[in-house]
Amino acid sequence: MTETRAPERGRVLADLTPLRTSAHYRRLWFGNTVSWVGQGMTALAVSLQVYEITRSPFSVGLVGLFSLVPLVVFGLYGGAIADTVDRRRLGLASATGSAVLSAALAAAAFAGFHQVWFLYAIVALQSVCAALNSPARTSMIPRLLPAEQLRAANALNSMTTTFGTLVGPSLGGLLVGLGGFQTAYLIDAVAFSAALYAMWRLPSMLPERTGAKRASVLDGLRFLATRPNLRMTFFSDFCAMILAHPRALFPVVAVLWYDGDARTTGLLAAAPAAGALLGGVLSGWQGRIRHHGQAILLAVACWGTAIAVFGLTRNLWLGLLFLALAGYSDTVSMIFRNTMMQVAAPDEMRGRLQGVFIVVVAGGPRLGDFLAGSVADLTSPTVAITGGGLACVLAVGLLALRGRGFRRYDALDPTP
């Protein structure tokens, strides 16, 4: 088994075994990588187009709202549906919908149809498709790979997401400058063909439990309420994303601490993503870790510590280093959390747990932005950032004291 051989090889770089052993997973991974870059391009292009039409930062901010609300609302239902239908067909249908919507953006731009309401509507519908696609796609992976390869697969998946987040917006800005909005939208629509091809080649993914006839969100939440180890994965993530999430303060600290400008803000925003990408690339050592609960708690504590120290720095490069360390820690936590959900949960609940995961990932950072901004307004950015990091460390310490079973969770004997 891969996980037991890894210590003998002293692996440091990411384990590529899932890409070598499963053609289905390899196609799915490549298709997702291409589509994530395309989605990053479109996200930036839409924001740029809204600003060009309205010249209003508030209108640009609404793009995020129209994206977030459907993702949160439909995330839970997307997971429930993924547990009761053929996941391959659901993934194929939702990916097709995303491709059609990107093509609609391109057609409107070519036709000179520049209406903000249209852009908002497309963004909202794209979020609905993403909310349906993500639980289906993620819950397919345990059906494509053996359990001992899931941690490595989640590390590879983290690289896909982070690479798209880093490269997509940069490429989108370049394409808009060279060929207009329609070029970015059209390339995104074409990029979806890689994901569609991967989905098309997959085998059928019907529910393993044939008695499931109705998509029930409440059943998934009831299941989670009775599984303390799985529940702790969400609580630990909330500690990081709500208490110690300084992203909203980057424009402020760029000016106040580093005497910088928009480019400085961009560096601050890119540093955690760069660290997260490095966390995926250098994930080979994680195969030697059996106690995933302990790893999650330590990773979240490292995130909080790095954020707290960042709040005390006034040297830009040192600040970027600690933000990168925070991003690296977040990826480590995410890899183990996803692996626990995929291994410890039964197949009929995996889609719903991924739906909850979407809500946490989408909603947690927004709550963190609100909390950081509010505390900074009442006190100072230093108090908000350093205090938030310390609060994260304290909160995860309390979770560790209460979650004895979570600390003892053994990947060789998974207990939800």
Side-chain angles (χ1 to χ4, degrees), residues 150-227:
L150 290 179
R151 185 214 52 83
N154 284 313
L156 293 170
N157 293 341
S158 75
M159 294 165 59
T160 289
T161 305
T162 310
F163 181 77
T165 303
L166 281 172
V167 175
S170 302
L171 187 58
L174 178 63
L175 290 172
V176 169
L178 293 175
F181 301 110
Q182 61 271 18
T183 303
Y185 298 145
L186 185 59
I187 292 177
D188 181 27
V190 174
F192 269 107
S193 62
L196 290 172
Y197 174 75
M199 291 282 184
W200 182 263
R201 292 292 303 274
L202 288 174
S204 177
M205 293 275 182
L206 291 169
E208 291 183 350
R209 189 166 63 89
T210 58
K213 296 182 179 180
R214 182 174 59 88
S216 173
V217 175
L218 291 178
D219 284 348
L221 295 177
R222 293 189 190 102
F223 172 82
L224 188 60
T226 60
R227 301 302 190 273

Side-chain angles (χ1 to χ4, degrees), residues 7-330:
E8 298 175 6
R9 292 198 295 263
R11 179 183 288 122
V12 175
L13 297 178
D15 184 357
L16 304 182
T17 302
L19 296 176
R20 291 196 299 265
T21 59
S22 173
H24 289 307
Y25 175 77
R26 184 166 60 247
R27 284 190 292 266
L28 192 64
W29 183 85
F30 177 77
N32 290 338
T33 301
V34 174
S35 63
W36 264 101
V37 173
Q39 291 170 67
M41 290 165 39
T42 291
L44 182 77
V46 168
S47 295
L48 291 174
Q49 189 174 7
V50 168
Y51 185 73
E52 182 177 279
I53 295 170
T54 65
R55 298 296 174 182
S56 166
F58 176 75
S59 298
V60 177
L62 286 179
V63 174
L65 184 64
F66 277 97
S67 174
L68 173 64
V69 173
L71 196 62
V72 171
V73 172
F74 286 90
L76 293 174
Y77 287 100
I81 294 171
D83 284 336
T84 54
V85 301
D86 186 341
R87 289 168 181 162
R88 171 186 173 273
R89 289 190 177 183
L90 179 60
L92 192 60
S94 53
T96 301
S98 295
V100 169
L101 290 168
S102 293
L105 284 172
F110 275 115
F113 184 72
H114 304 299
Q115 297 292 328
V116 174
W117 66 264
F118 176 76
L119 297 175
Y120 288 157
I122 294 294
V123 165
L125 291 173
Q126 285 178 327
S127 289
V128 173
C129 290
L132 296 174
N133 184 269
S134 182
R137 185 182 67 246
T138 307
S139 57
M140 290 176 187
I141 296 175
R143 303 273 288 270
L144 300 176
L145 297 169
E148 64 269 17
Q149 293 184 18
L150 290 179
R151 185 214 52 83
N154 284 313
L156 293 170
N157 293 341
S158 75
M159 294 165 59
T160 289
T161 305
T162 310
F163 181 77
T165 303
L166 281 172
V167 175
S170 302
L171 187 58
L174 178 63
L175 290 172
V176 169
L178 293 175
F181 301 110
Q182 61 271 18
T183 303
Y185 298 145
L186 185 59
I187 292 177
D188 181 27
V190 174
F192 269 107
S193 62
L196 290 172
Y197 174 75
M199 291 282 184
W200 182 263
R201 292 292 303 274
L202 288 174
S204 177
M205 293 275 182
L206 291 169
E208 291 183 350
R209 189 166 63 89
T210 58
K213 296 182 179 180
R214 182 174 59 88
S216 173
V217 175
L218 291 178
D219 284 348
L221 295 177
R222 293 189 190 102
F223 172 82
L224 188 60
T226 60
R227 301 302 190 273
N229 287 338
L230 293 178
R231 196 166 60 244
M232 281 283 286
T233 64
F234 295 104
F235 289 160
S236 61
D237 192 44
F238 273 134
C239 291
M241 294 297 101
I242 296 179
L243 298 176
H245 199 261
R247 180 183 59 187
L249 301 180
F250 286 163
V252 177
V253 302
V255 176
L256 294 181
W257 294 358
Y258 307 118
D259 195 25
D261 51 18
R263 289 174 294 181
T264 308
T265 303
L267 288 174
L268 294 173
L277 181 59
L278 192 64
V281 173
L282 302 179
S283 60
W285 61 271
Q286 296 170 16
R288 300 190 286 271
I289 306 300
R290 286 178 51 181
H291 298 288
H292 290 184
Q294 289 183 14
I296 292 170
L297 295 171
L298 288 172
V300 174
C302 288
W303 162 280
T305 302
I307 294 299
V309 177
F310 164 71
L312 299 175
T313 60
R314 295 301 179 266
N315 178 277
L316 177 59
W317 298 110
L318 192 59
L320 294 175
L321 173 63
F322 281 105
L323 286 176
L325 289 174
Y328 181 94
S329 301
D330 184 50

Side-chain angles (χ1 to χ4, degrees), residues 249 369-379:
L249 301 180
D369 289 342
F370 174 76
L371 179 62
S374 300
V375 174
D377 189 54
L378 293 173
T379 56

